[in-house]
Amino acid sequence: CAPEQRGGKQQMKLKNRYKIIIAVFVCLFTAGATLAYFSENHSIQNRFSTLTPEMQIKENFNREDKWLPGEEKLKEVKFKNSGQSAALLRFILEVDTKDSGVEGKDIILWAAEDFPEFWTPGGENAEGRVTLESDTWYYFTRVAEPGETTQVTLESVSFNKELSNDKAHDTDVSGKQIDVKVKAEMIQVSTEAAQTLFGRTYTLSENDQIQWQ
């Protein structure tokens, strides 16, 4: 009987060991399953602000001055990037002759001598000087950096010397008002923005010179 009792005790010990092992595995799996359901979420709200191009038109011009036919008057125009980001720049001149009887071609828009170096198109040559056309967009061939002011663009304006300010001539411009408007636009440095807003694209060289296309 003794051997059988020992055998029985050994079987009971094995059964108990299995129970302990099974119990341990159950606890481990239960713990693993429990840990899988724990999670933690964090969120941080980041607000981003975009830079907006800002521009100033700087003009040196006596608005109270009176002109005579053929007389040239100083009207210096520059543009300043007063924003915080680099930008692309273009401008246009619009001549409004109102009811003066003067034609747009009788108003001569003189550009600075170095205008073709910084703008495209580079203007027309008249009497050895550079003239600008009204209703034509001129594009800056440099990137306008923050705080940068361009060179003088439009330099002066004059009436055709064939006009007159007395009633003995066909066109009397005495007492008339003629407006020369300067309109400029500045956008971010981006080919996509240029294509969308200017209707043109460009290539940019390593020294920030722009080739408009």
Side-chain angles (χ1 to χ4, degrees), residues 67-82:
W67 291 352
L68 293 174
E71 188 177 21
E72 185 173 340
K73 294 293 185 180
L74 186 70
K75 184 179 174 67
E76 293 181 335
V77 176
K78 301 178 183 180
F79 306 97
K80 180 180 180 179
N81 180 358
S82 54

Side-chain angles (χ1 to χ4, degrees), residues 43-99:
S43 63
I44 299 176
Q45 183 175 357
N46 293 307
R47 294 181 179 178
F48 296 90
S49 298
T50 59
L51 297 175
T52 303
E54 296 180 10
M55 175 182 53
Q56 294 177 347
I57 299 178
K58 304 170 75 70
E59 184 181 60
N60 180 17
F61 175 62
N62 184 1
R63 297 178 180 274
E64 303 301 322
D65 202 358
K66 308 299 181 183
W67 291 352
L68 293 174
E71 188 177 21
E72 185 173 340
K73 294 293 185 180
L74 186 70
K75 184 179 174 67
E76 293 181 335
V77 176
K78 301 178 183 180
F79 306 97
K80 180 180 180 179
N81 180 358
S82 54
Q84 297 178 316
S85 60
L88 305 174
L89 171 63
R90 71 174 182 174
F91 79 92
I92 189 173
L93 301 174
E94 299 176 349
V95 177
D96 185 1
T97 58
K98 301 183 180 294
D99 58 350

Side-chain angles (χ1 to χ4, degrees), residues 3 7 14 27 57 67 89 93 107 114 118 127 131 144-145 148-149 151 157 162 167 169 181 186-188 194-195:
L14 287 174
C27 289
I57 299 178
W67 291 352
L89 171 63
L93 301 174
I107 308 301
D114 61 352
F118 299 98
E127 302 176 6
T131 61
E145 298 294 341
E148 178 184 357
T149 300
Q151 294 76 9
V157 180
E162 299 299 325
K167 300 185 182 300
H169 293 75
K181 301 177 182 178
M186 182 176 285
I187 62 173
Q188 69 190 80
Q195 181 65 57

